[in-house]
Amino acid sequence: DSTPTVTVAEDGTDMVVSNKNDQIMVAETKYPIRVVNSESVVKLRVKLAEPTLRNLKAAFGGGTAGSNTATSMELPTDLTGIMLVHDSHPSTSLTENRRKVFRECYPSSDVSMVFKKSPNKTTVDVEFMAVLPENQTSPAIFLKPAGVSVAV
């Protein structure tokens, strides 16, 4: 597999979009004549399945490149973004899977781990912020399954 991956726990991914809207007012009326979106922030709350080196590297902003079998890791000094992809179904079939692609994401909050004894798994809770990549108009793309009609 040439693309390094991080493993997400069965809890899935929470996506939160925060919008800041501004009202356009004119002196002749007490109601806004238009509402415009002046800021949108896309955050993804992820529970990584285990504190593997690759998952830790992604959680601390070091990207995902490199070996998952290394014996140690230091905290990164420069942030490297990662692409997060969420598939709704384990199948790769386009008729069953709804895929969400967040093109460039960086950790934006605390990283939390609760160390547990076996057989319970330690998870890595991290919040990522999706940013607008160069030459793109949106930080995310949502793909519907083939053959499924979506009302516009």
Side-chain angles (χ1 to χ4, degrees):
D1 184 65
S2 61
T3 305
T5 58
V6 295
T7 307
V8 176
E10 289 297 318
D11 295 347
T13 302
D14 291 338
M15 180 181 85
V16 178
V17 179
S18 300
N19 290 308
K20 179 180 176 191
N21 297 324
D22 294 327
Q23 299 176 354
I24 307 297
M25 303 292 289
V26 294
E28 294 83 24
T29 179
K30 65 179 182 177
Y31 300 105
I33 61 167
R34 182 176 295 141
V35 176
V36 295
N37 180 271
S38 60
E39 181 180 319
S40 290
V41 177
V42 178
K43 291 193 176 183
L44 304 155
R45 295 183 186 125
V46 179
K47 188 177 293 251
L48 301 176
E50 295 181 82
T52 63
L53 291 177
R54 185 169 289 137
N55 285 355
L56 289 173
K57 195 170 182 184
F60 289 118
T64 58
S67 170
N68 204 29
T69 59
T71 57
S72 66
M73 180 199 87
E74 293 191 22
L75 294 176
T77 55
D78 294 320
L79 287 179
T80 301
I82 63 171
M83 178 185 292
L84 290 175
V85 177
H86 180 268
D87 288 325
S88 65
H89 195 275
S91 168
T92 57
S93 165
L94 292 178
T95 59
E96 298 174 352
N97 190 20
R98 287 178 174 80
R99 175 169 276 191
K100 281 72 75 187
V101 179
F102 302 92
R103 296 178 171 121
E104 191 172 345
C105 301
Y106 294 87
S108 64
S109 187
D110 297 336
V111 175
S112 171
M113 289 181 278
V114 177
F115 298 101
K116 302 173 186 175
K117 292 185 178 184
S118 184
N120 298 318
K121 297 245 181 191
T122 298
T123 57
V124 181
D125 297 352
V126 61
E127 183 178 86
F128 290 96
M129 182 184 301
V131 301
L132 186 63
E134 190 174 331
N135 300 321
Q136 298 292 333
T137 58
S138 171
I141 184 168
F142 300 89
L143 306 171
K144 68 178 183 72
V148 176
S149 62
V150 177
V152 178

